Amino acid sequence: MKILKTVQKFPGGLMVGPLLITAVIHTWAPGLVEIGGPTTALFSSSGTMCLAGLLLFIIGSQLSVRQIGTVLKRHGPLLAVKLIIAFAAGIILMHSFGAKGIFGISTMAFVSVLASNNPGVFLALTKSYGDDIDHAAFGLWNVACMPTIPLLILGAASGAAFDYMALIALLVPFLLGILLGNIDRDIQKLMAPGSMIILPFLGFCFGISVDLITAFRSGLQGIFLTLVFYILSIIPAFCTEHWLLGRPGYASVATCCVAGLAIGAPSQIAHAVPEHAPYLQTAAAQIALVMILTTVITPFLTKFAAGKFGTAA
């Protein structure tokens, strides 16, 4: 059976396929991987941070110090645009509608979605359409997808504190990879194929926290939130990349996908800022649906953008 080749026919399939498979498992047989030992560690959400840290180290080991400036020049503006939009939306919604939000969607849900990106899907897509600079930007986007970002945004509007140590802890594996990869080229060569190996397993970890039934119960609100996410994410990012930076535009589209980690953001926000607590469950369900929809849709949008405007590969 040509399982790998079949999966790779779909944009970002190396990560999206396993993610959807484990989402189905969690929905209808949630205890299947919760048997302990290596099985639970590898195929459940308990392994997410370990795999993400390992992937950060591997990506960092492939980044030449001379490429850092190019990574920041190409992807820094895209990240800045995304965070500015999420920050502006959070401030406006909090001051205008409070934590309750609008149209049945809490401010917490809006901010968690707008501030999110899925670095795993981004990496899988840039493996097809991008180059080494795009691959190296995985570390930058990984830092930006953490739940601490929406917490920081809402903290600015609600007075919550920001945990700087969480950000530092996220950077350590990436920076260590850069250091060792540049000191010893043999380490760089050793780690080179690692990202492609880890991606499917990271997909398993992300998908196992998704309950498809709960997600689709959010219905119209989740679909509306997805449309808002695409309008406020793709249009400004694509214009920035294509017109301001003079790039094809596939990378900006590839970043417009909500990560599984975003589903956990409401619980952190509700704990730090109690006024958001009443909207925890509905926000998590809405974010889960947006994650599912964008995980499926964004790869095809990226493929369209790459086909119409060109690639770096």
Side-chain angles (χ1 to χ4, degrees):
M1 293 180 65
K2 302 292 184 181
I3 297 175
L4 180 59
K5 289 185 177 180
T6 301
V7 169
Q8 289 177 326
K9 288 180 180 179
F10 297 91
L14 200 59
M15 181 178 180
V16 175
L19 188 152
L20 294 176
I21 289 170
T22 49
V24 170
I25 292 173
H26 177 70
T27 303
W28 283 281
L32 193 62
V33 299
E34 299 295 338
I35 60 175
T39 299
T40 300
L42 186 59
F43 295 107
S44 75
S45 57
S46 62
T48 302
M49 285 296 101
C50 178
L51 289 174
L54 183 56
L55 195 53
L56 277 169
F57 178 88
I58 292 170
I59 295 297
S61 71
Q62 305 305 300
L63 177 62
S64 169
V65 172
R66 291 173 293 182
Q67 292 179 317
I68 294 176
T70 307
V71 169
L72 293 176
K73 183 179 178 180
R74 185 186 297 184
H75 289 270
L78 302 181
L79 178 57
V81 167
K82 185 175 191 66
L83 294 181
I84 289 171
I85 290 172
F87 186 84
I91 297 299
I92 292 170
L93 287 170
M94 279 299 296
H95 282 261
S96 301
F97 306 102
K100 185 178 180 179
I102 189 173
F103 302 133
I105 304 171
S106 65
T107 297
M108 175 168 59
F110 272 112
V111 173
S112 297
V113 164
L114 291 174
S116 181
N117 74 91
N118 193 321
V121 171
F122 170 79
L123 182 61
L125 290 171
T126 55
K127 286 290 184 182
S128 298
Y129 309 115
D131 57 17
D132 290 342
I133 300 299
D134 294 315
H135 306 161
F138 169 84
L140 184 67
W141 288 107
N142 206 315
V143 171
C145 85
M146 292 296 109
T148 47
I149 302 299
L151 178 58
L152 174 62
I153 293 171
L154 290 174
S158 308
F162 175 61
D163 185 3
Y164 292 96
M165 284 306 298
L167 185 61
I168 294 173
L170 197 64
L171 286 171
V172 168
F174 185 57
L175 296 176
L176 184 60
I178 294 175
L179 176 64
L180 293 178
N182 281 271
I183 290 176
D184 188 344
R185 294 298 177 185
D186 288 333
I187 294 178
Q188 186 180 74
K189 292 178 182 178
L190 175 67
M191 295 293 169
S195 61
M196 296 297 287
I197 296 172
I198 292 176
L199 273 177
F201 295 98
L202 197 59
F204 285 131
C205 290
F206 284 151
I208 204 65
S209 62
V210 178
D211 187 312
L212 296 174
I213 295 176
T214 302
F216 282 103
R217 280 177 183 166
S218 66
L220 292 177
Q221 286 90 354
I223 294 172
F224 177 75
L225 187 55
T226 302
L227 291 174
V228 171
F229 171 75
Y230 275 130
I231 291 170
L232 295 182
S233 297
I234 286 185
I235 295 175
F238 180 82
C239 291
T240 299
E241 184 182 18
H242 192 65
W243 301 111
L244 182 62
L245 301 179
R247 296 283 305 162
Y250 62 85
S252 58
V253 180
T255 63
C256 296
C257 183
V258 174
L261 288 174
I263 301 171
S267 61
Q268 293 191 22
I269 295 169
H271 178 75
V273 191
E275 66 179 296
H276 294 282
Y279 313 102
L280 173 59
Q281 297 300 323
T282 55
Q286 290 163 0
I287 293 168
L289 181 56
V290 177
M291 189 278 290
I292 293 167
L293 293 176
T294 57
T295 298
V296 174
I297 296 171
T298 294
F300 289 97
L301 292 178
T302 306
K303 182 179 180 179
F304 171 79
K308 188 172 182 62
F309 301 102
T311 70

